[in-house]
Amino acid sequence: MTSDTLITRALEAVPYAQTLGAKPIFIGEELTLILPYSADNIGNPVLPALHGGAIGGFMELAAIAELIHSASEEDLSNLPKPIGINIDYLRRGRPVDTYARAAVFKRGSRVVNVRVRAWQEDYDNPIAALHGNFLIPSDG
């Protein structure tokens, strides 16, 4: 089974991913998640601005998707679970498509440290950043 298929199936199993409409895209082997613009994700209609919870949840999904992408197939019996997450909201999320890319910084035997960047039109101008620790399920 390809990594693209595994990630798509995992996202389909997470109800919030379905609510947001998050979808994986690959450029070579690099995984990026896209959050297509939806009026349902607007938190402040006056500005308008994306809801911080939608951005945070989207980045958490990007971290989980990257952990699935970087794991071997036998490691996928359960999804990784967040232990602790910190989010920096850097600028307003405008009503356009949003992208997120995660990187694994340290992998232990049970805990993985992941960082995620979310941006809209320019990768170098992120709207938010996530730093999180995730518990990797084990069979034992």
Side-chain angles (χ1 to χ4, degrees), residues 3-4 6-8 10-11 23-33 58-72 75-76 79-80 100-107 112-117 119 130 132 134 136:
S3 189
D4 185 17
L6 287 170
I7 293 165
T8 300
L11 290 175
K23 299 192 180 347
I25 54 175
F26 282 89
I27 301 167
E29 285 295 310
E30 191 169 56
L31 169 65
T32 301
L33 247 55
F58 173 60
M59 289 192 302
E60 184 178 325
L61 289 169
I64 291 170
E66 179 59 34
L67 292 172
I68 292 168
H69 178 59
S70 64
S72 60
D75 294 335
L76 298 176
L79 293 176
R101 189 172 299 146
V104 173
F105 272 75
K106 183 171 186 327
R107 183 181 294 272
V112 178
N113 179 277
V114 182
R115 297 188 185 158
V116 180
R117 172 189 293 228
W119 74 96
L130 176 146
F134 290 79
I136 300 299

Side-chain angles (χ1 to χ4, degrees), residues 25-111:
I25 54 175
F26 282 89
I27 301 167
E29 285 295 310
E30 191 169 56
L31 169 65
T32 301
L33 247 55
I34 182 170
L35 175 65
Y37 169 70
S38 169
D40 292 339
N41 293 335
I42 295 293
N44 184 339
V46 174
L47 291 176
L50 293 178
H51 192 283
I55 295 169
F58 173 60
M59 289 192 302
E60 184 178 325
L61 289 169
I64 291 170
E66 179 59 34
L67 292 172
I68 292 168
H69 178 59
S70 64
S72 60
E73 202 166 319
E74 61 270 8
D75 294 335
L76 298 176
S77 56
N78 295 304
L79 293 176
K81 301 204 179 341
I83 297 171
I85 290 179
N86 293 310
I87 299 174
D88 294 324
Y89 293 98
L90 305 170
R91 55 184 47 85
R92 172 174 67 101
R94 292 174 292 103
V96 297
D97 291 352
T98 304
Y99 303 88
R101 189 172 299 146
V104 173
F105 272 75
K106 183 171 186 327
R107 183 181 294 272
S109 60
R110 299 270 302 148
V111 176

